[in-house]
Amino acid sequence: MSDDRIRIFDTTLRDGEQAPGCSMNLQEKITLARQIEKLGVDIIEAGFAIASDGDYESVKAIAEALEHTTVASLARTGQADIERAGQALEKARHPRIHTFIATSDIHLEHKLKMGREQVMEEVDRAVRHALQYTDDVEFSAEDATRSDWDYLVQVFTVAVKAGARTLNVPDTVGYTTPVEYYELIHYLRQHVPGSEDLIFSLHCHNDLGLAVANSLAAIQAGARQVECTVNGIGERAGNTAMEEVVMALKTRPDAFEGLDTRIKTTEIYPTSRLLSSIIGIPVQPNKAIVGDNAFAHEAGIHQDGVLKAAITYEIMTPQSIGRASNELVLGKHSGRHAFRDRLLEMGYELADEDFQRAFKRFKDLADKKKSIYNEDLESIVADSVTVEQGRFELGNLVIQSGTFATPNATVELSVDGEPRKATAQGDGPVDAVFKAIVELTDTKAELLQYQVKAITGGMDAQGEVTVTITEGGRRVIGHGAHTDIIVASARAYVSAINRLDGHKERREVDGPRGI
Ligand code: KIV
Ligand code: ZN
């Protein structure tokens, strides 16, 4: 199919979420999925239903929560995978099963230990099976860019005869180049029978920093579905960054024959910020479109030009991606109504329980801080939707520290609903607080990283703390924000421990995670 609409297939919650440090809990996934729906993507890949009970539950919950967007679950070609995906999607308004198997000789020989014929039989059976659950079936030929082109044509032909309507051509290991990928897509469109009625899809990884360039080349060759993630998160060097492809099409209609997406671009920045706050991974400052410096003109000559006429150095506006300036938004007298309106304007529609929590945080903050900026609200939202439903809940804490005193902390924590208290000493106040928390939670986790940054400027700015801890090979991130960085640190640490605790239940299957 070569109409002029590019479908955006967002895989932040599947390929993105499987990257180290990017895992999210159920509540966070639902919040993000709602925002991604608001952004206007066509398809959300909500997870890999068979990978774990947690993945199954999140695909199911997102399938129930979303109204307009197609919800997809990944599935290998095995019967159990397809069944699990079909069950998880049962309540979806628009369900899609996305089934895949590798097609490169490298994968056939070393991973699958299957012959080419056998793989084709798998594809045929899997697509037919998936059609029993939905008429929207996508087939992916994993490692397509290192597969034999004629064999790829044969495999896709089998998939199409079995009933698949979307054919995905993944550059699984980020190996291809723009010209090569263009030629591959072009070749497939010429040789797969009935290609005029099919959607060819691209899926790129960024190992050589070429994911977006390769994706745009595939679009020029006729691909009409882009698989991508918010902020480009994903395995290793990440996936195609959704915001970069969308804005490239928007900004250069001349170069892309007027092809466009349905993305509401003013939702790009709020979505990017929401994801960053949930996973606790900030985007690099010079990241295209959503990085802190993406619209900052530092050189005098540029500033002079922009002031005279923005067009001199500005190819798109910050407003077009929903980036409001650091304006003052609310103050201590703002009520519930104004708070909700402002959040809605920023693109956040919170469930009632999250909203109540967020409003309380806002009021507490407004008591301590005169000016509340958009960034403060973003951090409040992230903090409120990421409250762990875990065993540990932080209560009060008191510290003593300084040049004359040995740092000492007393921390109250509710453990499985029981109030408990511990006092500990440390090298500094944060160390003392963490030691008290370790005693109360009995955690064996090792602290890998501790980061603190000011969310906005000003003496009364909130501090945002991110901690990374690890235990038994699993790495999780927790974050917390507060005007007092010791409290922010305690929140971040407890959130990480809760998260780790939640993950202990999670069962992994071999292979597919890590694609
Ligand atoms: O990178 C890849 O090949 C994948 C497929 C499962 C689509 O993520
Ligand atoms: Zn992938």
Side-chain angles (χ1 to χ4, degrees):
M1 206 175 283
S2 63
D3 56 19
D4 56 6
R5 191 163 72 76
I6 301 295
R7 285 99 182 140
I8 297 292
F9 176 114
D10 181 277
T11 183
T12 308
L13 292 167
R14 198 279 298 170
D15 222 349
E17 206 250 352
Q18 71 190 49
C22 292
S23 58
M24 297 169 230
N25 67 26
L26 179 64
Q27 203 182 354
E28 291 164 347
K29 285 184 187 173
I30 296 172
T31 304
L32 187 63
R34 286 210 169 100
Q35 174 60 29
I36 291 174
E37 171 162 74
K38 191 160 186 203
L39 177 66
V41 311
D42 301 276
I43 305 112
I44 287 187
E45 188 162 50
F48 187 4
I50 202 164
S52 68
D53 292 343
D55 275 55
Y56 176 81
E57 290 306 331
S58 42
V59 175
K60 191 163 174 284
I62 291 168
E64 283 174 29
L66 299 194
E67 286 179 33
H68 315 290
T69 317
T70 295
V71 179
S73 171
L74 188 65
R76 288 166 299 186
T77 49
Q79 304 220 0
D81 276 52
I82 308 271
E83 244 167 58
R84 197 81 172 134
Q87 285 159 1
L89 292 170
E90 207 178 355
K91 300 252 168 67
R93 270 79 157 187
H94 312 281
R96 171 179 295 190
I97 294 182
H98 174 195
T99 185
F100 76 99
I101 192 165
T103 49
S104 67
D105 290 333
I106 303 173
H107 278 233
L108 264 60
E109 186 187 334
H110 300 288
K111 187 180 84 174
L112 298 175
K113 318 245 182 267
M114 283 184 190
R116 287 184 172 192
E117 281 300 320
Q118 205 182 344
V119 165
M120 291 200 287
E121 281 160 23
E122 285 284 312
V123 173
D124 180 60
R125 200 190 25 73
V127 172
R128 289 180 198 281
H129 188 186
L131 281 166
Q132 292 173 12
Y133 296 93
T134 170
D135 57 6
D136 187 351
V137 176
E138 169 172 342
F139 169 70
S140 279
E142 190 193 2
D143 205 18
T145 53
R146 292 192 301 165
S147 303
D148 175 71
W149 288 16
D150 289 325
Y151 179 57
L152 262 187
V153 169
Q154 287 179 42
V155 174
F156 280 140
T157 305
V158 169
V160 173
K161 279 200 182 133
R165 285 289 161 266
T166 304
L167 301 180
N168 186 32
V169 188
D171 183 28
T172 305
V173 291
Y175 181 73
T176 198
T177 62
V179 171
E180 186 181 82
Y181 202 41
Y182 176 99
E183 282 169 359
L184 173 58
I185 301 286
H186 185 70
Y187 186 83
L188 294 170
R189 289 187 63 222
Q190 278 188 328
H191 290 87
V192 175
S195 62
E196 337 52 84
D197 299 322
L198 303 168
I199 301 275
F200 281 86
S201 166
L202 63 93
H203 178 115
C204 298
H205 282 265
N206 203 29
D207 299 66
L208 294 173
L210 291 172
V212 171
N214 289 336
S215 303
L216 293 171
I219 290 174
Q220 282 171 322
R224 289 294 175 265
Q225 174 176 285
V226 178
E227 300 202 353
C228 51
T229 59
V230 175
N231 296 346
I233 66 164
E235 279 290 327
R236 310 181 305 277
N239 288 56
T240 299
M242 180 273 301
E243 58 281 359
E244 295 182 25
V245 170
V246 168
M247 291 313 285
L249 297 177
K250 235 319 126 293
T251 310
R252 293 301 309 275
D254 54 326
F256 296 100
E257 297 160 10
L259 294 169
D260 207 355
T261 66
R262 280 199 188 139
I263 294 294
K264 197 169 161 201
T265 61
T266 48
E267 293 296 334
I268 286 180
Y269 192 61
T271 313
S272 159
R273 297 285 304 195
L274 180 65
L275 172 66
S276 282
S277 333
I278 288 177
I279 60 178
I281 301 184
V283 294
Q284 77 200 53
N286 59 326
K287 160 94 175 60
I289 319 293
V290 290
D292 278 357
N293 296 345
F295 293 90
H297 299 277
E298 195 67 33
I301 198 165
H302 286 206
Q303 289 181 349
D304 181 53
V306 170
L307 288 175
K308 286 179 177 144
I311 195 174
T312 50
Y313 288 100
E314 204 170 74
I315 59 165
M316 58 196 155
T317 63
Q319 289 78 10
S320 67
I321 60 149
R323 228 173 144 146
S325 55
N326 198 16
E327 73 205 87
L328 179 68
V329 285
L330 294 172
K332 117 187 210 169
H333 301 297
S334 314
R336 212 170 275 270
H337 197 79
F339 179 65
R340 193 189 293 275
D341 278 359
R342 185 63 203 136
L343 291 187
L344 284 174
E345 258 173 68
M346 290 170 68
Y348 300 124
E349 200 173 341
L350 302 191
D352 203 47
E353 205 186 317
D354 293 342
F355 177 81
Q356 302 307 344
R357 219 166 12 229
F359 186 66
K360 179 164 183 324
R361 292 242 158 121
F362 161 69
K363 279 297 190 189
D364 290 348
L365 183 62
D367 274 343
K368 300 189 183 81
K369 190 171 185 290
K370 213 167 92 212
S371 319
I372 309 280
Y373 297 96
N374 286 346
E375 286 83 348
D376 290 315
L377 295 181
E378 281 162 358
S379 120
I380 287 174
V381 169
D383 240 28
S384 310
V385 299
T386 58
V387 164
E388 302 290 329
Q389 310 295 309
R391 299 175 50 218
F392 310 110
E393 196 179 326
L394 186 66
N396 292 318
L397 68 87
V398 182
I399 58 140
Q400 173 187 308
S401 186
T403 44
F404 286 115
T406 304
N408 181 292
T410 299
V411 177
E412 287 175 3
L413 206 67
S414 132
V415 181
D416 295 325
E418 290 289 311
R420 293 182 52 191
K421 193 196 254 185
T423 299
Q425 295 189 337
D427 294 338
V430 173
D431 188 43
V433 166
F434 282 10
K435 283 194 169 125
I437 295 174
V438 167
E439 192 183 320
L440 291 168
T441 56
D442 201 23
T443 179
K444 306 279 177 295
E446 183 193 343
L447 179 65
L448 287 182
Q449 212 175 41
Y450 170 85
Q451 285 173 314
V452 56
K453 73 166 197 175
I455 296 178
T456 58
M459 295 287 280
D460 59 357
Q462 283 196 89
E464 187 170 58
V465 173
T466 304
V467 298
T468 310
I469 60 173
T470 180
E471 191 188 324
R474 179 168 283 284
R475 225 170 70 120
V476 297
I477 288 178
H479 75 273
H482 200 271
T483 45
D484 180 329
I485 59 159
I486 309 294
V487 178
S489 304
R491 281 188 180 167
Y493 198 41
V494 171
S495 132
I497 293 173
N498 269 326
R499 205 173 256 241
L500 196 59
D501 204 55
H503 279 307
K504 286 189 185 146
E505 303 288 305
R506 199 162 157 151
R507 177 175 58 88
E508 299 276 352
V509 291
D510 285 334
R513 286 193 157 257
I515 288 157

